[in-house]
Amino acid sequence: MSSHSPHIPDVLVVGGGIIGLVTAWRAAQQGLRVAVTDPAPGGGAAQVAAGMLAAVTELHYGEHTLLGLNLESARRYPAFVAELEEASGQQVGYRSCGTLAVALDADDRAHLRELHALQRRSGLESEWLSGRECRRLEPMLAPGVRGGLRVDGDHQVDPRRLAAALVVACERAGVDLRRTWAERLVVEGDRATGAVLADGGELSAGQVVLAGGSLSGRLEGVPADVLVPVRPVKGQVLRLTVPRPYAPFLSRTVRAVVRGSHVYLVPREDGELVVGATSEELGWDTTVTAGGVYELLRDAHELVPGITELPLVETRAGLRPGSPDNAPLLGFTELPGLLLATGHYRNGVLLTPVTGDVLAEALVSGELPEIARAFSPGRFSSPMVQRVASYEPVLRETRLQEQSV
Ligand code: GLY
């Protein structure tokens, strides 16, 4: 399978978050020699993310193509988890618990009714429940809950455990984890041939996959006409813990839109309760703010009043890698030798299995599988799209206000 000198990896993956690691692991399973550069493999947005696998409850207008990829990755999750747990010897906290999206007032209810109609038009399974039925499922919900959507197919995984398992699976598959930054892409002739590393070394490779999350657009040396239109979208997230006598506090993921802000509570089997998330366009700022924590607790408390009794054990902010159309960039760029696996925005954890599969196939065969073709980076490469992409933060805010359901 390998085509280069024994000292040169076939593939260099820049970025060792869950997307870079799954790409490396799957490529190594295909017989390729793979190296990953990252000072802390397994870090990044997965250390903050709640891990909802919410293809149905996070459906948005205008994202039907993305829905297909999200559903396909959700379908692959059980087998992916079984294989990863076997390969790493570690559990990843996959929980097929379902999700309940609820409404607290008439506006929220109208909003949820619209989401329900969109789900039905899209052929998705969800069931409308009265407030009483919601509380029967989740007795800790506020008495004022006006109704909700039961989505039994939207599950969860623990992203921190997922990342840790991927590190071990990569090591066991022979992936060379270089614990340093890649500072600059090396381009020779018209081809990407490796990267200059922060430790002073240089690593050549047959192909390079840029999987740097929200930092993907910042790698030096990428030619200006190979646009990597990814920007950071900050999310503040809280972690609480449910003491044993209270367990189970919630039995499934519970979410709502409270006065226009999304809030979700993700209960783990070990008692962790993750509350997220803000969505802020503030560049690479990861400050946890009093306002962010206040809003999350205020909204979560309206939904589940008993939450204020729980110990608050962690507050943290992460950066989603947002793309101009909220969908990932997967596969070959116009620079030979350079592929992208980035821009997963709200769906990085959900899209981990399918991303690993399609990138590995692309690296081996030179062809991007059909399911990923709509997500090729080439969709942003016309001059008109590049101009639009540079105004994207403004456009996106407008679009979210118009389309978010
Ligand atoms: N998918 C959850 C979030 O982005 O906050």
Side-chain angles (χ1 to χ4, degrees):
M1 194 69 67
S2 300
S3 56
H4 296 89
S5 120
H7 304 294
I8 296 180
D10 300 299
V11 180
L12 170 61
V13 181
V14 175
I18 53 174
I19 294 297
L21 291 172
V22 77
T23 300
W25 179 47
R26 289 306 202 193
Q29 285 181 316
Q30 295 287 325
L32 298 179
R33 285 188 305 266
V34 185
V36 174
T37 59
D38 194 305
Q47 294 300 314
V48 181
M52 288 179 299
L53 308 174
V56 177
T57 39
E58 285 200 4
L59 177 63
H60 287 71
Y61 287 114
E63 294 186 0
H64 272 82
T65 313
L66 177 60
L67 172 65
L69 194 70
N70 286 346
L71 290 172
E72 179 55 27
S73 204
R75 191 187 67 75
R76 293 183 192 197
Y77 237 100
F80 168 77
V81 164
E83 194 180 342
L84 179 59
E85 289 185 342
E86 169 77 24
S88 65
Q90 299 195 8
Q91 305 290 301
V92 300
Y94 178 70
R95 205 177 160 197
S96 48
C97 56
T99 296
L100 183 65
V102 300
L104 286 164
D105 62 24
D107 285 350
D108 301 344
R109 197 161 174 274
H111 179 97
L112 215 51
R113 283 281 191 197
E114 264 189 62
L115 174 60
H116 190 212
L118 180 62
Q119 289 167 340
R120 290 170 70 121
R121 283 200 301 279
S122 308
L124 302 171
E125 280 184 30
S126 65
E127 182 190 357
W128 183 264
L129 301 183
S130 67
R132 184 173 297 183
E133 288 168 326
C134 290
R135 281 188 302 280
R136 202 172 296 135
L137 278 184
E138 294 297 340
M140 297 301 281
L141 281 174
V145 164
R146 303 277 294 264
L149 277 179
R150 176 179 176 162
V151 179
D152 287 342
D154 277 0
H155 304 313
Q156 60 150 303
V157 69
D158 184 336
R160 291 178 175 175
R161 296 170 79 183
L162 179 69
L166 281 167
V167 170
V168 175
C170 280
E171 285 168 341
R172 289 186 177 177
V175 173
D176 178 10
L177 297 176
R178 300 286 184 103
R179 288 176 163 76
T180 182
W181 292 112
E183 282 198 329
R184 185 164 55 80
L185 185 73
V186 176
V187 179
E188 287 171 6
D190 277 337
R191 188 176 177 87
T193 58
V196 175
L197 308 181
D199 65 8
E202 185 174 325
L203 197 54
S204 298
Q207 301 182 81
V208 178
V209 180
L210 179 47
S214 63
L215 293 166
S216 298
R218 287 185 133 188
L219 182 67
E220 287 177 31
V222 177
D225 55 345
V226 182
L227 185 70
V228 186
V230 174
R231 68 182 195 290
V233 182
K234 176 178 172 181
Q236 299 189 48
V237 173
L238 316 177
R239 281 178 161 79
L240 298 89
T241 188
V242 180
R244 281 299 159 198
Y246 283 103
F249 189 78
L250 294 172
S251 65
R252 73 203 69 220
T253 296
V254 169
R255 53 186 304 154
V257 178
V258 183
R259 289 178 296 276
S261 301
H262 291 264
V263 63
Y264 45 78
L265 290 82
V266 183
R268 305 234 194 274
E269 259 157 11
D270 63 4
E272 182 176 79
L273 181 68
V274 185
V275 178
T278 64
S279 187
E280 305 164 71
E281 302 271 0
L282 291 172
W284 278 273
D285 169 37
T286 52
T287 313
V288 174
T289 63
V293 174
Y294 166 72
E295 280 172 28
L296 290 171
L297 285 177
R298 180 197 62 198
D299 295 348
H301 174 255
E302 281 198 32
L303 212 56
V304 183
I307 198 171
T308 48
E309 305 295 321
L310 303 179
L312 174 63
V313 292
E314 189 184 312
T315 59
R316 200 153 163 184
L319 299 172
R320 306 174 183 88
S323 75
D325 59 4
N326 299 339
L329 296 123
L330 303 175
F332 302 96
T333 66
E334 286 171 15
L335 177 67
L338 179 67
L339 294 84
L340 301 186
T342 187
H344 292 69
Y345 189 36
R346 300 185 307 261
N347 297 307
V349 179
L350 172 60
L351 290 173
T352 294
V354 80
T355 299
D357 293 347
V358 301
L359 261 292
E361 193 173 329
L363 288 163
V364 170
S365 70
E367 296 233 349
L368 193 62
E370 177 62 35
I371 186 171
R373 296 222 178 120
F375 306 97
S376 169
R379 72 189 189 278
F380 298 122
S381 54
S382 82
M384 174 59 84
V385 175
Q386 289 193 18
R387 275 203 300 281
V388 171
S390 66
Y391 291 105
E392 187 51 33
V394 178
L395 292 176
R396 189 182 155 276
E397 271 312 307
T398 313
R399 194 168 52 233
L400 279 182
Q401 282 159 16
E402 286 170 354
Q403 298 183 342
S404 186
V405 290

